Amino acid sequence: MSFLVNITDGQSLEGHLTKSRQKVFVGRQEELSFFRRTLLERGRASVLYVHGPGGVGKSTLLGRFAEEATRLGRHVIDVDGRWTEPSPASFEAAVGAVPDGAVLLIDTFERCQGLEGWLRERFLPMLPHDITVVVAGRESPSSEWYLDSAWDETLHVLPLGDLSREDALRLIGARGVPPALYDAVTSFAGRYPLALSLTAAVVSRSTSSAMDWQPTPNVVEMLLRHLVGDTPSPVHRHALEVCAHAMTTSEALLRSVFGDDRAVELFEWLRNLPFIEAGVGGLYPHDVVREALDADLRWRDFAGYRKMHAEVRDYAIEQIRTASGPAVLMAARAANYLLHHGPFKMAYHSWRGNGEVYGTPCGAQDRETVLRMAERGRRAGSVEDVEYWLDRQPEAFTLYRSSVDNTPLGFLAHLRCDVFTADDAAADPVIAALMRHSDGGTALPDGGVMRLARYLVQVGGEERPSPTMDLMRLTILADWLRTDGMVWSGRVLENRGFWEREMAFLGHQSVDGGRTPDGRPQTVFVMDWKALPVGLWLETLSQRVLFGPAAEANTAAPTPAPPARTDRGGPEELDGERWNQAVRALFRAWSHKDVVAASPLVRFVPAGTPEERALTLQRKLREAVESMRGDLTTIKYHQALTATYFGRGTTQRGVAARLGTPFSTYRRHLDNGIAEAAARLRDLLVPGGDTVTVSH
């Protein structure tokens, strides 16, 4: 292989390389202007402290500083912490003699960060009075600089961040990326200079027009090597991976994953990394580091990635179920963020405006505001249905306002019912359509709760992601996970074309919701929580996030309308849904031998009298439950099932207390345990069968 470098007549290789670097240098105009002004202010010393994470462009900027200083006739001294022994004597030797008016550039200072105090107290004060010093490193200057007032007029701190979008596109264009791939490259590399440069180098040399470019493991590994470097131990690396996967990382999250002994240490280590930032909910990495870490673990150790996802998810769900007040939506936001790792990324959530909008319960004084928004949204037609629900369930309405000036931005009506009535259908065309769809079979089981997100209205009428719509969706998600006895839920939307893919991904099916008073079609996206309990739904959703929308968790799709009771003869297909329901009924009837003998599952016991087959069925189910004891993932399911159905009789809350487990966690373990027991019982009775037929 040979390499050819074209150099014009009379130009050295060094000059050619300098011009090439200048060609791809973009942005940082504020920093360059400040440096130029500093150089022109002769007769005084200045120390510029440039800091930012690895790959943000510090060395590149120092290269431009050197060119500017040389152009203005200043003597330039370059020192790089990578090649300097971190001792005062070695550092002084690397610097050498410093003439008046010189420019001293110290790069990669994090490699000799221990010299910071000596540099500040001993070395810099001994330099000429008109020296210009630039220190560049990953860490920001220590607080000691600010405590000494002598540095107030001399020290100037310049933090470096991402490029603007325009500069990012200019950079990859200069590096040879064709415009058709701009979106693909910036989607992976963001606006981070090193990530953009490395990715552009790979893309420009390997493809010219492919529209489906994806970063390879080699590209990801190369980025991580530059951005993250080595970690103290595999545990520290995994803490970094958890931080990349979760929306934000707190000590509590680390405690749930690593235990009490390591949480504080790991949190403090993460906190001090240059590419980690702190926010309201905890720590989070730079977007490029986040994406690279997550992609690398997913490719390198998918089993470990899957386990980590479950741990982060379980912690987030537990926070939703146990939080109160504003913390509920914060926890829901963290749980919802995990969908970002699925196929839709950020398409259905704006991921902006946290704090920009707030919601309050609608009071009597807000009635006219709600009705005016409803009227403007419909553009024509009656709002009698809105008035009807304001009268029937005013507590179901939430009004959303701007945090800046309290301007109303939208409202949500999240109705709670245990039955649809004829009055509801007469007043609301959506209820009428649902009742027609289910042939009037709208009665729910005793204690069942039905929730209908009837109105999701925002100013402007667009049903698109926004801070207001985000809060509405998070409110609905939190309600699904916090409501005991939920058996059915629905969400009414007009923009079916936009939302249908996401709602199908979430396991919902669409039902015709009739038309609005001004003639627009409506869709109700519905979920039967009896067919797919919340715990099993979360597992199914995780499968889809990890494996794609087609992934299932051995369960049938939920039925699309409130359940109607039917008495049908003939063959019955025991698909995933019906099999799970039969197993759940078997657990509940455990001490009633006549009910067990009538279970449709008895027909899969090959021989014996009805009583013997019932006993065999019970023994097989106990065997399925006992088989969960040997797995750290399922032992908690075994404990919940055994204590609930095979122990002494008590309430479920009493069982949770006896197990020393929060009630919401116990319920989740119980739901997951029933689903797991159903799958294992199927393997014992009908190995390899997904759907079996029973003749009546």
Short mmCIF file of all heavy atoms in Angstrom, two decimals, residues 630-660:
data_model
loop_
_atom_site.label_atom_id
_atom_site.label_comp_id
_atom_site.label_asym_id
_atom_site.label_seq_id
_atom_site.Cartn_x
_atom_site.Cartn_y
_atom_site.Cartn_z
N GLY A 630 -33.76 -21.82 41.87
CA GLY A 630 -32.34 -21.89 41.55
C GLY A 630 -31.81 -20.75 40.71
O GLY A 630 -30.65 -20.78 40.30
N ASP A 631 -32.61 -19.74 40.44
CA ASP A 631 -32.20 -18.63 39.58
C ASP A 631 -32.34 -17.32 40.35
O ASP A 631 -33.40 -17.03 40.90
CB ASP A 631 -33.09 -18.60 38.32
CG ASP A 631 -32.56 -17.63 37.27
OD1 ASP A 631 -32.10 -16.54 37.65
OD2 ASP A 631 -32.64 -17.96 36.08
N LEU A 632 -31.27 -16.53 40.38
CA LEU A 632 -31.32 -15.27 41.12
C LEU A 632 -32.37 -14.32 40.57
O LEU A 632 -32.91 -13.48 41.29
CB LEU A 632 -29.94 -14.58 41.07
CG LEU A 632 -28.83 -15.27 41.89
CD1 LEU A 632 -27.51 -14.54 41.69
CD2 LEU A 632 -29.20 -15.30 43.37
N THR A 633 -32.67 -14.46 39.27
CA THR A 633 -33.68 -13.58 38.67
C THR A 633 -35.09 -13.95 39.10
O THR A 633 -35.94 -13.08 39.28
CB THR A 633 -33.57 -13.64 37.14
OG1 THR A 633 -32.25 -13.26 36.75
CG2 THR A 633 -34.59 -12.70 36.48
N THR A 634 -35.36 -15.27 39.25
CA THR A 634 -36.74 -15.72 39.49
C THR A 634 -37.01 -16.13 40.93
O THR A 634 -38.16 -16.44 41.26
CB THR A 634 -37.09 -16.90 38.55
OG1 THR A 634 -36.13 -17.95 38.77
CG2 THR A 634 -37.04 -16.46 37.10
N ILE A 635 -35.99 -16.15 41.79
CA ILE A 635 -36.25 -16.59 43.17
C ILE A 635 -37.24 -15.66 43.88
O ILE A 635 -38.05 -16.09 44.69
CB ILE A 635 -34.94 -16.71 43.97
CG1 ILE A 635 -35.21 -17.40 45.31
CG2 ILE A 635 -34.27 -15.36 44.15
CD1 ILE A 635 -33.96 -17.76 46.08
N LYS A 636 -37.21 -14.37 43.53
CA LYS A 636 -38.16 -13.44 44.14
C LYS A 636 -39.59 -13.74 43.69
O LYS A 636 -40.55 -13.51 44.42
CB LYS A 636 -37.77 -12.00 43.82
CG LYS A 636 -37.60 -11.72 42.34
CD LYS A 636 -36.87 -10.40 42.12
CE LYS A 636 -36.58 -10.18 40.63
NZ LYS A 636 -35.76 -8.97 40.40
N TYR A 637 -39.73 -14.26 42.45
CA TYR A 637 -41.06 -14.67 41.99
C TYR A 637 -41.52 -15.90 42.78
O TYR A 637 -42.70 -16.00 43.16
CB TYR A 637 -41.05 -14.99 40.50
CG TYR A 637 -40.53 -13.90 39.60
CD1 TYR A 637 -40.05 -14.19 38.33
CD2 TYR A 637 -40.51 -12.56 40.02
CE1 TYR A 637 -39.57 -13.20 37.48
CE2 TYR A 637 -40.04 -11.56 39.19
CZ TYR A 637 -39.56 -11.89 37.93
OH TYR A 637 -39.10 -10.90 37.10
N HIS A 638 -40.59 -16.83 42.99
CA HIS A 638 -40.90 -18.03 43.77
C HIS A 638 -41.39 -17.66 45.17
O HIS A 638 -42.37 -18.20 45.68
CB HIS A 638 -39.66 -18.92 43.85
CG HIS A 638 -39.75 -19.99 44.89
ND1 HIS A 638 -39.33 -19.80 46.20
CD2 HIS A 638 -40.21 -21.27 44.83
CE1 HIS A 638 -39.53 -20.90 46.88
NE2 HIS A 638 -40.06 -21.81 46.08
N GLN A 639 -40.70 -16.72 45.80
CA GLN A 639 -41.07 -16.32 47.16
C GLN A 639 -42.46 -15.70 47.19
O GLN A 639 -43.27 -15.98 48.09
CB GLN A 639 -40.03 -15.34 47.69
CG GLN A 639 -38.66 -15.97 47.93
CD GLN A 639 -37.58 -14.94 48.17
OE1 GLN A 639 -37.76 -13.75 47.89
NE2 GLN A 639 -36.44 -15.39 48.69
N ALA A 640 -42.76 -14.83 46.21
CA ALA A 640 -44.08 -14.18 46.19
C ALA A 640 -45.19 -15.19 45.97
O ALA A 640 -46.24 -15.15 46.63
CB ALA A 640 -44.10 -13.09 45.11
N LEU A 641 -45.00 -16.13 45.03
CA LEU A 641 -46.03 -17.14 44.74
C LEU A 641 -46.23 -18.08 45.93
O LEU A 641 -47.37 -18.38 46.32
CB LEU A 641 -45.62 -17.95 43.51
CG LEU A 641 -45.68 -17.22 42.16
CD1 LEU A 641 -45.01 -18.05 41.08
CD2 LEU A 641 -47.13 -16.90 41.77
N THR A 642 -45.15 -18.54 46.51
CA THR A 642 -45.25 -19.49 47.62
C THR A 642 -45.94 -18.86 48.82
O THR A 642 -46.83 -19.47 49.44
CB THR A 642 -43.84 -19.98 48.01
OG1 THR A 642 -43.23 -20.60 46.88
CG2 THR A 642 -43.91 -20.98 49.15
N ALA A 643 -45.54 -17.63 49.15
CA ALA A 643 -46.14 -16.97 50.32
C ALA A 643 -47.61 -16.63 50.09
O ALA A 643 -48.41 -16.65 51.02
CB ALA A 643 -45.35 -15.70 50.65
N THR A 644 -47.97 -16.33 48.85
CA THR A 644 -49.35 -15.91 48.56
C THR A 644 -50.31 -17.09 48.47
O THR A 644 -51.41 -17.06 49.05
CB THR A 644 -49.39 -15.11 47.24
OG1 THR A 644 -48.51 -13.99 47.34
CG2 THR A 644 -50.81 -14.62 46.94
N TYR A 645 -49.91 -18.14 47.74
CA TYR A 645 -50.86 -19.21 47.43
C TYR A 645 -50.62 -20.50 48.21
O TYR A 645 -51.55 -21.30 48.37
CB TYR A 645 -50.81 -19.51 45.92
CG TYR A 645 -51.21 -18.33 45.09
CD1 TYR A 645 -50.31 -17.70 44.25
CD2 TYR A 645 -52.52 -17.81 45.15
CE1 TYR A 645 -50.67 -16.60 43.48
CE2 TYR A 645 -52.91 -16.72 44.38
CZ TYR A 645 -51.97 -16.11 43.55
OH TYR A 645 -52.35 -15.03 42.81
N PHE A 646 -49.40 -20.73 48.68
CA PHE A 646 -49.12 -21.99 49.35
C PHE A 646 -48.89 -21.81 50.85
O PHE A 646 -48.68 -22.78 51.57
CB PHE A 646 -47.87 -22.66 48.75
CG PHE A 646 -47.94 -22.84 47.26
CD1 PHE A 646 -46.79 -22.83 46.48
CD2 PHE A 646 -49.16 -23.03 46.61
CE1 PHE A 646 -46.84 -22.99 45.12
CE2 PHE A 646 -49.23 -23.19 45.24
CZ PHE A 646 -48.07 -23.17 44.48
N GLY A 647 -48.89 -20.56 51.34
CA GLY A 647 -48.66 -20.31 52.75
C GLY A 647 -49.97 -20.14 53.51
O GLY A 647 -51.05 -20.45 53.01
N ARG A 648 -49.84 -19.62 54.72
CA ARG A 648 -51.05 -19.42 55.52
C ARG A 648 -51.85 -18.25 54.94
O ARG A 648 -51.31 -17.29 54.41
CB ARG A 648 -50.68 -19.14 56.98
CG ARG A 648 -49.89 -17.87 57.22
CD ARG A 648 -49.58 -17.71 58.70
NE ARG A 648 -48.96 -16.45 59.01
CZ ARG A 648 -47.65 -16.25 59.00
NH1 ARG A 648 -46.84 -17.24 58.69
NH2 ARG A 648 -47.15 -15.06 59.28
N GLY A 649 -53.15 -18.35 55.05
CA GLY A 649 -54.03 -17.36 54.45
C GLY A 649 -53.88 -15.99 55.08
O GLY A 649 -53.87 -15.86 56.29
N THR A 650 -53.77 -14.99 54.23
CA THR A 650 -53.72 -13.60 54.68
C THR A 650 -53.96 -12.71 53.46
O THR A 650 -54.07 -13.20 52.34
CB THR A 650 -52.38 -13.26 55.35
OG1 THR A 650 -52.43 -11.91 55.85
CG2 THR A 650 -51.23 -13.37 54.35
N THR A 651 -54.03 -11.42 53.68
CA THR A 651 -54.21 -10.49 52.56
C THR A 651 -52.88 -10.34 51.82
O THR A 651 -51.81 -10.66 52.34
CB THR A 651 -54.66 -9.11 53.06
OG1 THR A 651 -53.61 -8.55 53.87
CG2 THR A 651 -55.93 -9.23 53.88
N GLN A 652 -52.97 -9.81 50.59
CA GLN A 652 -51.74 -9.59 49.83
C GLN A 652 -50.84 -8.57 50.53
O GLN A 652 -49.61 -8.69 50.50
CB GLN A 652 -52.07 -9.14 48.41
CG GLN A 652 -52.65 -10.26 47.56
CD GLN A 652 -52.70 -9.90 46.08
OE1 GLN A 652 -52.44 -8.77 45.69
NE2 GLN A 652 -53.05 -10.88 45.25
N ARG A 653 -51.43 -7.55 51.13
CA ARG A 653 -50.61 -6.59 51.86
C ARG A 653 -49.93 -7.26 53.06
O ARG A 653 -48.79 -6.92 53.41
CB ARG A 653 -51.45 -5.39 52.31
CG ARG A 653 -51.90 -4.52 51.15
CD ARG A 653 -52.46 -3.18 51.61
NE ARG A 653 -52.88 -2.38 50.47
CZ ARG A 653 -52.06 -1.59 49.78
NH1 ARG A 653 -50.79 -1.50 50.14
NH2 ARG A 653 -52.48 -0.91 48.75
N GLY A 654 -50.63 -8.21 53.66
CA GLY A 654 -50.01 -8.95 54.76
C GLY A 654 -48.84 -9.80 54.27
O GLY A 654 -47.81 -9.90 54.95
N VAL A 655 -48.98 -10.40 53.09
CA VAL A 655 -47.89 -11.18 52.52
C VAL A 655 -46.69 -10.28 52.24
O VAL A 655 -45.54 -10.62 52.55
CB VAL A 655 -48.34 -11.88 51.23
CG1 VAL A 655 -47.15 -12.55 50.55
CG2 VAL A 655 -49.42 -12.91 51.52
N ALA A 656 -46.96 -9.11 51.64
CA ALA A 656 -45.87 -8.17 51.34
C ALA A 656 -45.13 -7.77 52.62
O ALA A 656 -43.90 -7.71 52.66
CB ALA A 656 -46.40 -6.94 50.62
N ALA A 657 -45.90 -7.52 53.67
CA ALA A 657 -45.27 -7.15 54.95
C ALA A 657 -44.43 -8.30 55.50
O ALA A 657 -43.34 -8.08 56.03
CB ALA A 657 -46.35 -6.74 55.95
N ARG A 658 -44.94 -9.53 55.38
CA ARG A 658 -44.20 -10.68 55.88
C ARG A 658 -42.90 -10.89 55.11
O ARG A 658 -41.89 -11.30 55.67
CB ARG A 658 -45.08 -11.94 55.79
CG ARG A 658 -44.51 -13.12 56.56
CD ARG A 658 -45.54 -14.20 56.82
NE ARG A 658 -45.88 -14.93 55.63
CZ ARG A 658 -47.08 -15.00 55.09
NH1 ARG A 658 -48.09 -14.33 55.65
NH2 ARG A 658 -47.32 -15.71 54.01
N LEU A 659 -42.93 -10.59 53.80
CA LEU A 659 -41.73 -10.72 52.98
C LEU A 659 -40.78 -9.54 53.14
O LEU A 659 -39.65 -9.56 52.63
CB LEU A 659 -42.11 -10.86 51.50
CG LEU A 659 -42.84 -12.15 51.10
CD1 LEU A 659 -43.29 -12.07 49.65
CD2 LEU A 659 -41.93 -13.36 51.31
N GLY A 660 -41.25 -8.48 53.82
CA GLY A 660 -40.43 -7.29 53.97
C GLY A 660 -40.22 -6.55 52.66
O GLY A 660 -39.16 -5.96 52.42
#
